[in-house]
Amino acid sequence: MTAKSTTRNRLIIAGATVGVVAAGVVGVVTVQAQDQDPATRTPVIVNAADAHLAQSTHLSIAAATRAAQTALDAAAKENQRVSVAVVDRNGNVIVTLRGDGAGPQSYDAAQQKAFTAVSWNAPTTELAERLESAPHLADIDGTLFLGGGAPVRAGNAPIAGIGVAGAPSGDLDEKFAKAGVASLGS
Amino acid sequence: MTAKSTTRNRLIIAGATVGVVAAGVVGVVTVQAQDQDPATRTPVIVNAADAHLAQSTHLSIAAATRAAQTALDAAAKENQRVSVAVVDRNGNVIVTLRGDGAGPQSYDAAQQKAFTAVSWNAPTTELAERLESAPHLADIDGTLFLGGGAPVRAGNAPIAGIGVAGAPSGDLDEKFAKAGVASLGS
Amino acid sequence: MTAKSTTRNRLIIAGATVGVVAAGVVGVVTVQAQDQDPATRTPVIVNAADAHLAQSTHLSIAAATRAAQTALDAAAKENQRVSVAVVDRNGNVIVTLRGDGAGPQSYDAAQQKAFTAVSWNAPTTELAERLESAPHLADIDGTLFLGGGAPVRAGNAPIAGIGVAGAPSGDLDEKFAKAGVASLGS
Amino acid sequence: MTAKSTTRNRLIIAGATVGVVAAGVVGVVTVQAQDQDPATRTPVIVNAADAHLAQSTHLSIAAATRAAQTALDAAAKENQRVSVAVVDRNGNVIVTLRGDGAGPQSYDAAQQKAFTAVSWNAPTTELAERLESAPHLADIDGTLFLGGGAPVRAGNAPIAGIGVAGAPSGDLDEKFAKAGVASLGS
Amino acid sequence: MTAKSTTRNRLIIAGATVGVVAAGVVGVVTVQAQDQDPATRTPVIVNAADAHLAQSTHLSIAAATRAAQTALDAAAKENQRVSVAVVDRNGNVIVTLRGDGAGPQSYDAAQQKAFTAVSWNAPTTELAERLESAPHLADIDGTLFLGGGAPVRAGNAPIAGIGVAGAPSGDLDEKFAKAGVASLGS
Amino acid sequence: MTAKSTTRNRLIIAGATVGVVAAGVVGVVTVQAQDQDPATRTPVIVNAADAHLAQSTHLSIAAATRAAQTALDAAAKENQRVSVAVVDRNGNVIVTLRGDGAGPQSYDAAQQKAFTAVSWNAPTTELAERLESAPHLADIDGTLFLGGGAPVRAGNAPIAGIGVAGAPSGDLDEKFAKAGVASLGS
Amino acid sequence: MTAKSTTRNRLIIAGATVGVVAAGVVGVVTVQAQDQDPATRTPVIVNAADAHLAQSTHLSIAAATRAAQTALDAAAKENQRVSVAVVDRNGNVIVTLRGDGAGPQSYDAAQQKAFTAVSWNAPTTELAERLESAPHLADIDGTLFLGGGAPVRAGNAPIAGIGVAGAPSGDLDEKFAKAGVASLGS
Amino acid sequence: MTAKSTTRNRLIIAGATVGVVAAGVVGVVTVQAQDQDPATRTPVIVNAADAHLAQSTHLSIAAATRAAQTALDAAAKENQRVSVAVVDRNGNVIVTLRGDGAGPQSYDAAQQKAFTAVSWNAPTTELAERLESAPHLADIDGTLFLGGGAPVRAGNAPIAGIGVAGAPSGDLDEKFAKAGVASLGS
């Protein structure tokens, strides 16, 4: 065991919150059923050594839902009917909300705007301008270079994207997306 | 131990890791270009507050490559031609290696076995047995209930899956996959 | 104007809620921009006559979010990590919530369980039993015959489906889905 | 029960057409089979409370078929061979007619034009002009910014889209689509 | 017998039908636009010689619509809400009708039943029985081995398939599909 | 039986070629197996009446193969490595040939060029010019507006398309495609 | 330079056919256009060293076409209407022939049978029997465990697969596929 | 046996390494199981004659992994987080590496850049310039005309492509891809 992993183990013991959360967040341990008779099963469960592990930060589902709901409410205040999506840094969709009366194009578009914003860590209105010099960025699967996407950051790095679609203009959509982001600042 | 990791450990104790770790791991901060003239841009960059953040553990790409290579080497030693895939806990593919002479079916199959193993935190040979009571688990998109997938764990929770396909039997495939997992235990 | 449409119009007048909501829900009227100069545009906007119209009942996004959140909370109380989806009667996804630490297979599975429940207006555990007599029902695109889906009804007719996936058993998933449905009963 | 739902119930009683149609339209109630022995089944069927419900207006299949047939006939009168599609406000295809001798590209194109028209509540010739200011609207999945799509409205809100494709020009296609819309005005 | 068909019959006897019929049925001849200046264009338009041509029989769109409508009406008489599809011998969808209140699974299922019936020239209830000896027929893309599909024949050969889905049983669905077929017998 | 269908039956008898070919081409009649005991089966097999039928002209597989092979040979003579596809008027692929050493992009591209040529009955180099006035034609699924596609005609109507891809320029690809078309002119 | 690569280079020199063919088969060298001004371009073109290269054997397109045509002819002799596909060892489709009057399901099925045969180097009738012990092999994407696929071998290793579909039984389909394989034996 | 195949056989004899590797690389020979009782099995295994065979050159998996790792390391040295892919001449993906912290768009983009580079045997920055004269090249499936792809050559012919995505500019991505290519030059 390396010094590094020793240190980390100590940290987990000293600060169980982080360690336990990490183990808890990652997944459900449902090994009981198949381990009833450990003698006849693969008896050794190998845990990856710390040297091989990395940590990443992401939004909790509670936070993502809060942001999405805030964006939807912001749109409703202006009588705009939109859909909202939150996507994590790996492009996985975390939350979708199809607003009442939102156009059918809005559901996928919201996801793609969120994906685009988190991919390049910038609002999609800004990213759309970048296409002047690199128009074929827009050919990448899953992207949409229309206003309405905004990144969520932690330590200035992108950890999620919020996308809104359905309002008459991308600027409006993005205003609502940014309201969602802002709700996470406190 | 590098200065960087020292800092990180200290931060964990202080309880603020989150942001700094995030900057290191999560993504590239490429905000310079569009912030040249901050006065004319959206001046406020909101970082999500810690209360909204969670941490997850995953394999580094170096570790994932090591595991995949180990599995491939294990197969080569037995003159088996296989493909190997490593998938993270969210189902995103991290590494694929299409072995020399591996059958065309092996590439997708390896990914699906890895996906299945990390989804239920068990080797796919075990999971295949569970289908007796719930056969329609096999209808879930992206899954494959054939031997050859093995989970990678941290704190007993699944953080990745390794899948191997192409050998004459699933047991052989799984043997190689487990060799890959074992390479991460030290 | 037919007698039928007259009656309906009266109803709208007498109970503006329904009529106004109907018009409001359906879509955003964004005709202003292109109608600035009506003389040069197609001047006639035809509205479909009432005889050609039907009404359908569906969940508001507020209700769908409430149900999904309730299902997610019910799972959290039992330390289960799941994803939740709400699908309307036409199979369109309305809400998705990917719970913290839920397996990657849970996101699509939740949507498919919801789809299945609303398609046949029954919990998916019941529907799974029906496969004994018609096993190829499970081949229909978008369906998943695993416990965890429950229909939402209005006047005993299905108007939505709630799907939960990620717990160790379909029975558990379905318990949470039904908690979501129950939250709409009051 | 809230005042709002009380009002609505009254309306249903006063104007049974709407209420009954709503229940009838929504779906087939096929609960008999599995409720033969209610004592051994989940005995409580929860119906969602009115506060959680919304109503939406859509075309009956009879009306949608009429509109599609009218569009096809209009094309036939001018010896044009086209395909026709009707899509509802949620983007679900309701009717397709592949006209005799219509080109193979026309079938999907008709659906996408209909989808585009109902999404933005305008004929697709008008929408195509909007691309000058927002060219990447055309990157949204399912859209096609070519003449030939026209919205169907109720109370000025879009409730369906009709798309026609296959004629030598989008203007011709759109003329036929509008003939279909017009057939619903009486 | 119209003058037109007389001409056609004569042509068949003369052995030159092919071209003329082809011009009428196959597609729109839109060569005018690009042939305005034949001198600067590829001046030679080659028509395939008769030896290379074959004829196939298919339903007119009028007939296919009639059959689909008949099937839908048959279902409505028994208060069943279904979707209907007609597919030609090459698997191309010709007509779809999504009935009022039909479940979301019915639309694709109707197409797949029609496809299955025309592929093997038999009702899908009969085909489902064949799976006992060849269960993996059901793995072929686009097929669905559930009652509700019926072939349309000309000279005992399959020229189209009609599929119905959404009723509580496949037998009911198939009854309606056969009503659609029967409507073409006169 | 109507006079019209009588006439047609007579024609079949008098001119067995057409009738028999029609019956023969359309599909395999494999009804023997399930009709062994007609009394217990649906005893009535309805054949669609002639009034509901149309005829279409298409290339025989022998002709389509000849054309594809000719195009491939023409490319080989100029040391160009290409793929070739033939698509019928309904967009169904009839023949594909992936030439030795052809780039991986050529296989799908050849099909899409063939599809485009048969859809609009013109060589794709000409069609590419049309995009100046209707650029979004290129957004239609399955199309590719690059030189290399050529229509096959019967009576000036399109009955198939030949697509070639892989040469350094679209003009070259189209030269080979036209060689394939020309091979059918005699 | 290693001894191994030296040897290979010698072979190329001694037997230019292979070397030149190899270079020629692999792809079109179209570097002229972009190398007009080498001074302003990346001047160094690196060729991979021999140590990093492997050779694989595959069917020429002429051979694959011959095999497919032979299979189609064998079916025609027995009045069976089928589609035929040839797939290389990497699963890439090389040739497809949709036979006259073949059912619409036959085209994809032929490809999948060919894919399955080359993946496991055995006729698909034999492979179908293996499903008894490993039924979920059939869940691998692109496979079809129905008679009609046969491998093509060189040195007993699979280099291609031929698939036939559309006859009333898999045994018949496979007979034709094997006829195609046999045509390559001389 | 033709002169050509004789020559080839001689070469194999003279340089057994190549020939044996070729046979070995191609696939796993797992014929033992099904040939236990040859009398009851298809007794004749036909090997394709040499006249029907061609050879192609490709990267070994060891070489492809080396190139991918080198590209990833080159990016890491400049603190860029990228994904890397290696694709063979037939477009099959051989290796993927999703770098730590690489944006979600990078994984597919890397594959598409690699595909594009190997298709036209040029770096994607050069290919992007070609779009000026043939913009619709970018519509071909699987391509991406952004800097970051570079071909791997043997005898100046393309045998693989390396794609890198995720850095702030395509030039940077391509620098890393070329580092990967360069690693194969010795």
Side-chain angles (χ1 to χ4, degrees):
Chain A
M1 183 176 281
T2 67
K4 188 175 177 183
S5 62
T6 306
T7 304
R8 186 167 165 275
N9 281 344
R10 241 195 316 119
L11 281 172
I12 289 175
I13 295 165
T17 313
V18 172
V20 170
V21 168
V25 166
V26 171
V28 184
V29 184
T30 58
V31 294
Q32 292 83 351
Q34 77 256 22
D35 284 346
Q36 292 170 329
D37 185 357
T40 62
R41 288 281 182 188
T42 55
V44 183
I45 293 178
V46 180
N47 274 283
D50 289 357
H52 301 306
L53 303 180
Q55 296 280 323
S56 66
T57 301
H58 54 86
L59 285 182
S60 67
I61 179 62
T65 307
R66 174 183 179 159
Q69 189 66 54
T70 301
L72 194 66
D73 292 348
K77 275 184 196 160
E78 304 198 16
N79 292 315
Q80 297 300 337
R81 290 168 178 84
V82 300
S83 292
V84 183
V86 184
V87 173
D88 75 12
R89 172 60 181 172
N90 289 318
N92 306 302
V93 182
I94 303 303
V95 175
T96 62
L97 300 177
R98 188 190 295 258
D100 294 323
Q105 86 290 358
S106 65
Y107 189 76
D108 286 350
Q111 295 184 45
Q112 294 177 318
K113 290 176 181 180
F115 181 92
T116 306
V118 75
S119 289
W120 285 279
N121 194 19
T124 48
T125 45
E126 288 182 28
L127 294 169
E129 295 171 14
R130 293 190 197 177
L131 293 181
E132 288 175 21
S133 57
H136 288 280
L137 277 177
D139 292 343
I140 298 179
D141 288 348
T143 65
L144 184 60
F145 286 80
L146 283 173
V152 178
R153 292 166 175 146
N156 290 329
I159 60 168
I162 300 182
V164 176
S169 78
D171 285 343
L172 263 177
D173 284 329
E174 197 155 308
K175 179 181 172 184
F176 308 141
K178 287 182 174 174
V181 174
S183 75
L184 300 176
S186 56
Chain B
M1 181 176 283
T2 66
K4 188 176 177 183
S5 61
T6 305
T7 304
R8 182 173 161 261
N9 283 342
R10 243 194 315 117
L11 279 171
I12 289 175
I13 295 167
T17 337
V18 176
V20 171
V21 168
V25 171
V26 173
V28 184
V29 184
T30 57
V31 294
Q32 293 81 353
Q34 76 256 23
D35 285 345
Q36 292 170 328
D37 186 357
T40 62
R41 289 280 183 190
T42 56
V44 182
I45 293 178
V46 180
N47 275 284
D50 288 359
H52 301 307
L53 303 179
Q55 296 280 324
S56 65
T57 301
H58 54 88
L59 285 181
S60 68
I61 178 65
T65 306
R66 175 184 180 157
Q69 188 67 54
T70 301
L72 194 66
D73 292 347
K77 275 184 195 161
E78 304 197 16
N79 292 317
Q80 297 300 336
R81 291 169 177 83
V82 300
S83 292
V84 183
V86 184
V87 173
D88 76 12
R89 171 61 180 169
N90 289 318
N92 306 301
V93 182
I94 304 302
V95 175
T96 62
L97 299 177
R98 188 191 294 258
D100 293 325
Q105 86 292 358
S106 65
Y107 189 77
D108 285 351
Q111 296 185 43
Q112 293 178 319
K113 290 177 181 180
F115 181 92
T116 306
V118 74
S119 290
W120 285 279
N121 194 19
T124 48
T125 46
E126 290 182 26
L127 295 170
E129 295 171 14
R130 294 190 197 176
L131 293 181
E132 289 175 22
S133 58
H136 288 281
L137 277 177
D139 292 344
I140 298 180
D141 288 348
T143 65
L144 184 60
F145 286 79
L146 284 172
V152 179
R153 292 165 176 145
N156 291 328
I159 62 166
I162 299 182
V164 176
S169 78
D171 285 344
L172 263 178
D173 284 329
E174 197 156 308
K175 179 182 173 184
F176 308 140
K178 287 181 175 175
V181 174
S183 75
L184 301 176
S186 57
Chain C
M1 184 176 279
T2 67
K4 190 176 177 182
S5 62
T6 304
T7 303
R8 186 169 164 271
N9 280 344
R10 240 191 320 115
L11 281 171
I12 289 175
I13 294 166
T17 314
V18 171
V20 170
V21 167
V25 165
V26 171
V28 184
V29 184
T30 58
V31 294
Q32 292 82 352
Q34 76 257 22
D35 285 347
Q36 292 170 329
D37 185 357
T40 63
R41 288 281 180 189
T42 55
V44 182
I45 294 177
V46 180
N47 275 283
D50 289 357
H52 301 307
L53 303 179
Q55 296 280 323
S56 66
T57 301
H58 54 87
L59 285 182
S60 67
I61 179 62
T65 306
R66 175 183 179 159
Q69 188 66 54
T70 301
L72 194 66
D73 292 347
K77 275 184 196 160
E78 304 197 17
N79 292 315
Q80 297 300 336
R81 291 168 177 83
V82 299
S83 292
V84 183
V86 184
V87 173
D88 75 12
R89 172 61 181 170
N90 289 317
N92 307 300
V93 182
I94 303 302
V95 174
T96 62
L97 299 177
R98 187 190 294 258
D100 293 324
Q105 86 291 359
S106 65
Y107 189 76
D108 285 351
Q111 296 184 44
Q112 293 178 319
K113 291 176 182 180
F115 181 91
T116 306
V118 73
S119 289
W120 286 280
N121 194 19
T124 47
T125 46
E126 288 182 27
L127 294 169
E129 295 171 14
R130 294 190 196 176
L131 293 180
E132 288 175 21
S133 58
H136 288 280
L137 277 177
D139 292 343
I140 298 179
D141 288 347
T143 65
L144 184 60
F145 286 79
L146 283 173
V152 179
R153 292 165 176 145
N156 290 329
I159 61 167
I162 299 182
V164 176
S169 78
D171 286 343
L172 262 177
D173 284 330
E174 197 155 308
K175 178 181 172 184
F176 308 140
K178 288 183 173 172
V181 174
S183 75
L184 301 176
S186 56
Chain D
M1 184 174 280
T2 67
K4 188 175 175 183
S5 61
T6 305
T7 303
R8 185 169 166 273
N9 281 345
R10 238 191 323 116
L11 281 172
I12 289 173
I13 295 166
T17 312
V18 172
V20 169
V21 167
V25 166
V26 170
V28 184
V29 184
T30 58
V31 294
Q32 292 83 351
Q34 77 257 22
D35 285 345
Q36 292 169 329
D37 186 357
T40 62
R41 288 280 181 189
T42 54
V44 182
I45 293 179
V46 180
N47 274 284
D50 289 356
H52 301 307
L53 303 180
Q55 297 280 325
S56 66
T57 302
H58 55 85
L59 285 182
S60 67
I61 179 62
T65 306
R66 174 184 182 158
Q69 189 66 55
T70 301
L72 195 66
D73 292 347
K77 276 184 196 161
E78 305 198 15
N79 292 316
Q80 297 301 336
R81 290 170 177 82
V82 300
S83 292
V84 183
V86 184
V87 173
D88 76 11
R89 171 61 181 171
N90 289 317
N92 307 301
V93 182
I94 303 303
V95 175
T96 62
L97 300 177
R98 188 190 295 258
D100 293 322
Q105 85 291 357
S106 66
Y107 189 77
D108 286 351
Q111 295 184 44
Q112 293 177 320
K113 290 176 182 180
F115 181 91
T116 306
V118 74
S119 288
W120 285 280
N121 194 19
T124 48
T125 45
E126 289 182 27
L127 294 169
E129 295 171 12
R130 293 191 198 176
L131 293 181
E132 288 175 21
S133 57
H136 288 280
L137 277 177
D139 292 343
I140 298 179
D141 288 348
T143 64
L144 184 60
F145 286 79
L146 283 173
V152 178
R153 292 167 177 143
N156 291 327
I159 61 168
I162 300 181
V164 175
S169 77
D171 285 344
L172 263 177
D173 284 330
E174 197 155 307
K175 178 181 173 183
F176 308 140
K178 287 182 175 174
V181 175
S183 75
L184 301 176
S186 55
Chain E
M1 182 177 284
T2 68
K4 187 175 177 183
S5 62
T6 304
T7 303
R8 184 173 161 263
N9 283 344
R10 243 191 317 116
L11 279 171
I12 288 175
I13 295 165
T17 335
V18 175
V20 171
V21 168
V25 171
V26 173
V28 184
V29 184
T30 57
V31 293
Q32 294 81 351
Q34 76 256 20
D35 285 345
Q36 291 170 329
D37 185 358
T40 62
R41 289 281 180 188
T42 56
V44 181
I45 293 178
V46 180
N47 275 284
D50 289 358
H52 302 306
L53 302 180
Q55 296 280 325
S56 65
T57 302
H58 54 86
L59 284 182
S60 67
I61 179 63
T65 307
R66 175 183 179 159
Q69 188 66 54
T70 301
L72 193 67
D73 292 347
K77 276 185 196 160
E78 303 198 17
N79 292 315
Q80 298 300 339
R81 290 169 178 83
V82 300
S83 292
V84 183
V86 184
V87 173
D88 75 12
R89 172 60 180 171
N90 289 317
N92 307 301
V93 182
I94 304 302
V95 175
T96 63
L97 300 178
R98 187 190 295 259
D100 294 323
Q105 86 291 358
S106 66
Y107 189 77
D108 285 351
Q111 296 184 44
Q112 293 178 319
K113 291 176 182 180
F115 181 92
T116 306
V118 75
S119 290
W120 286 280
N121 194 18
T124 48
T125 46
E126 288 183 28
L127 294 169
E129 294 170 15
R130 296 191 195 175
L131 293 181
E132 287 174 23
S133 58
H136 288 281
L137 277 178
D139 292 344
I140 298 179
D141 288 346
T143 65
L144 185 60
F145 287 79
L146 283 173
V152 179
R153 293 164 175 146
N156 289 330
I159 60 166
I162 300 182
V164 175
S169 78
D171 285 344
L172 263 177
D173 284 330
E174 198 155 307
K175 178 181 174 186
F176 308 140
K178 288 182 174 174
V181 175
S183 75
L184 300 176
S186 57
Chain F
M1 183 176 281
T2 67
K4 189 173 177 185
S5 62
T6 304
T7 303
R8 184 167 167 274
N9 281 344
R10 236 189 326 113
L11 277 173
I12 288 174
I13 295 165
T17 312
V18 171
V20 169
V21 168
V25 166
V26 171
V28 185
V29 184
T30 58
V31 295
Q32 293 81 351
Q34 76 257 22
D35 285 344
Q36 293 170 329
D37 186 357
T40 62
R41 288 281 181 188
T42 55
V44 182
I45 293 179
V46 180
N47 275 283
D50 289 357
H52 302 307
L53 302 180
Q55 296 280 325
S56 66
T57 301
H58 55 85
L59 285 182
S60 67
I61 179 62
T65 305
R66 173 184 182 157
Q69 189 66 54
T70 302
L72 194 66
D73 291 347
K77 276 185 197 161
E78 304 198 15
N79 292 315
Q80 297 301 337
R81 290 167 178 84
V82 300
S83 292
V84 183
V86 184
V87 174
D88 75 11
R89 172 60 181 172
N90 289 318
N92 307 302
V93 183
I94 302 303
V95 175
T96 62
L97 300 177
R98 188 190 296 257
D100 293 323
Q105 85 292 357
S106 66
Y107 189 76
D108 285 351
Q111 296 184 44
Q112 293 177 320
K113 290 176 182 180
F115 181 91
T116 306
V118 74
S119 290
W120 286 280
N121 194 20
T124 48
T125 45
E126 290 182 26
L127 293 169
E129 295 171 14
R130 293 192 197 174
L131 292 181
E132 288 175 22
S133 58
H136 288 281
L137 277 177
D139 292 343
I140 297 179
D141 288 349
T143 65
L144 184 60
F145 286 80
L146 284 172
V152 179
R153 292 165 177 146
N156 291 328
I159 61 167
I162 299 181
V164 175
S169 78
D171 285 344
L172 264 176
D173 284 329
E174 197 155 308
K175 179 181 172 184
F176 308 140
K178 287 182 174 175
V181 175
S183 74
L184 301 176
S186 57
Chain G
M1 183 176 279
T2 68
K4 187 177 176 183
S5 62
T6 303
T7 304
R8 187 168 165 274
N9 280 344
R10 238 188 325 115
L11 279 172
I12 289 175
I13 293 165
T17 313
V18 171
V20 169
V21 167
V25 166
V26 171
V28 184
V29 185
T30 57
V31 293
Q32 294 81 351
Q34 77 257 22
D35 285 345
Q36 293 169 329
D37 185 358
T40 62
R41 288 281 181 189
T42 56
V44 182
I45 293 178
V46 181
N47 275 283
D50 289 357
H52 302 307
L53 302 180
Q55 296 279 325
S56 65
T57 301
H58 54 87
L59 285 182
S60 68
I61 179 64
T65 306
R66 175 184 179 156
Q69 188 67 54
T70 302
L72 194 66
D73 291 347
K77 276 183 197 161
E78 304 198 17
N79 292 316
Q80 297 301 337
R81 291 169 176 83
V82 301
S83 293
V84 183
V86 184
V87 173
D88 75 13
R89 171 60 181 171
N90 289 317
N92 307 302
V93 182
I94 303 303
V95 175
T96 62
L97 300 178
R98 188 190 295 258
D100 293 323
Q105 86 291 357
S106 66
Y107 189 77
D108 285 351
Q111 296 185 43
Q112 293 178 319
K113 290 176 181 178
F115 181 92
T116 305
V118 75
S119 289
W120 286 280
N121 194 18
T124 48
T125 46
E126 289 183 27
L127 294 169
E129 295 170 15
R130 294 191 196 174
L131 293 181
E132 288 174 22
S133 58
H136 288 280
L137 277 177
D139 293 342
I140 298 180
D141 288 347
T143 64
L144 184 60
F145 286 79
L146 284 172
V152 179
R153 292 164 177 145
N156 290 329
I159 61 166
I162 300 182
V164 176
S169 79
D171 285 343
L172 262 178
D173 285 329
E174 197 155 308
K175 179 181 174 184
F176 308 140
K178 287 181 174 174
V181 174
S183 75
L184 301 177
S186 57
Chain H
M1 184 175 279
T2 66
K4 187 176 176 182
S5 61
T6 304
T7 303
R8 185 169 162 272
N9 281 344
R10 244 194 314 119
L11 281 171
I12 288 174
I13 294 165
T17 313
V18 172
V20 170
V21 168
V25 165
V26 171
V28 183
V29 185
T30 58
V31 295
Q32 292 83 351
Q34 75 255 22
D35 285 344
Q36 292 170 329
D37 186 356
T40 62
R41 288 282 179 188
T42 56
V44 182
I45 292 179
V46 180
N47 275 283
D50 289 357
H52 301 307
L53 302 179
Q55 296 280 323
S56 66
T57 301
H58 54 87
L59 285 182
S60 67
I61 179 64
T65 306
R66 174 184 180 157
Q69 188 66 54
T70 301
L72 194 66
D73 292 348
K77 274 185 197 160
E78 304 198 15
N79 293 313
Q80 297 300 337
R81 291 168 177 83
V82 300
S83 293
V84 183
V86 184
V87 173
D88 75 11
R89 172 60 181 171
N90 289 318
N92 307 302
V93 182
I94 303 303
V95 175
T96 62
L97 300 177
R98 187 191 295 259
D100 294 323
Q105 86 291 357
S106 65
Y107 189 77
D108 285 351
Q111 296 184 45
Q112 294 177 318
K113 290 177 182 180
F115 181 92
T116 306
V118 75
S119 289
W120 286 280
N121 194 19
T124 48
T125 45
E126 288 183 28
L127 294 169
E129 295 171 15
R130 294 192 197 175
L131 294 181
E132 287 175 22
S133 57
H136 288 281
L137 277 178
D139 292 343
I140 298 179
D141 287 349
T143 65
L144 184 60
F145 285 80
L146 283 172
V152 179
R153 293 166 175 145
N156 290 329
I159 61 167
I162 300 182
V164 176
S169 78
D171 285 344
L172 263 177
D173 285 330
E174 197 155 307
K175 179 181 173 183
F176 307 141
K178 288 183 174 174
V181 175
S183 74
L184 301 176
S186 57

